[in-house]
Amino acid sequence: MKPIYRSSKSPGAPIDLAANEAISVPGRRGMSIRCVRGQVWVTQEGDMRDYIVPRGLRFVVARGGRIVVNGAADYSTVEVGDAEGVGTGASVLRVDWQCFALIESEARRARAAYFATAWGALSAAGRRAGRRVVGWLAGAMTEVRFRKPRCRL
């Protein structure tokens, strides 16, 4: 584990982590660990829970204590800095506002794929039903015999 000491010259500078590579960061209330690429595993001293932070999310620290950040993906990048608008309570995961456009486009893509699949299944069922009706009508028409009307005067 390599300890990272942040200088005041480079707050928020990206830190690259390989898989299973860990860094130790002195934590303080109001600090955030933002995952820019990949996925990281965050453990804080005095907190019984561990946090998996995927790309686009940030871990916001609620109290002081040493923090260990471990690269959970092949290549991960994190930024350590100050969080804006930190409330009271436990450490939390927050979604970055820049990530909303990505989440929205992924949701639209998934919804379009779902509707395309549903529409394909529905139209295939409609075609099968149409063929059955046409076949039934064709069979019914061959069995119909026309009789001469009987008229008595």
Side-chain angles (χ1 to χ4, degrees):
M1 182 180 331
K2 59 181 181 183
I4 298 292
Y5 299 102
R6 310 300 294 170
S7 68
S8 59
K9 268 198 317 194
S10 63
I15 302 167
D16 293 324
L17 296 172
N20 297 322
E21 182 180 7
I23 59 170
S24 177
V25 180
R28 68 186 181 291
R29 186 175 193 279
M31 187 174 97
S32 75
I33 298 170
R34 179 176 173 247
C35 185
V36 179
R37 180 181 63 175
Q39 186 174 7
V40 294
W41 175 20
V42 178
T43 303
Q44 184 178 12
E45 182 180 21
D47 192 349
M48 297 301 288
R49 294 172 289 186
D50 292 344
Y51 301 90
I52 298 294
V53 184
R55 176 179 60 114
L57 292 181
R58 74 174 62 218
F59 174 76
V60 180
V61 180
R63 64 177 176 278
R66 175 111 358 234
I67 296 174
V68 176
V69 181
N70 189 7
D74 287 340
Y75 297 101
S76 302
T77 304
V78 294
E79 292 176 350
V80 178
D82 292 329
E84 308 86 26
V86 177
T88 60
S91 300
V92 294
L93 291 176
R94 295 195 178 169
V95 178
D96 286 342
W97 65 269
Q98 298 97 343
C99 190
F100 280 128
L102 177 65
I103 292 170
E104 186 178 11
S105 68
E106 290 292 325
R108 283 184 180 164
R109 187 176 303 126
R111 185 174 46 223
Y114 172 77
F115 282 126
T117 303
W119 180 254
L122 183 63
S123 40
R127 284 191 300 272
R128 283 192 304 271
R131 283 193 294 266
R132 285 186 192 138
V133 168
V134 168
W136 177 78
L137 285 175
M141 293 301 286
T142 57
E143 294 176 10
V144 173
R145 295 185 186 165
F146 293 102
R147 291 186 262 165
K148 290 182 180 180
R150 295 183 188 183
C151 296
R152 292 189 183 180
L153 298 174

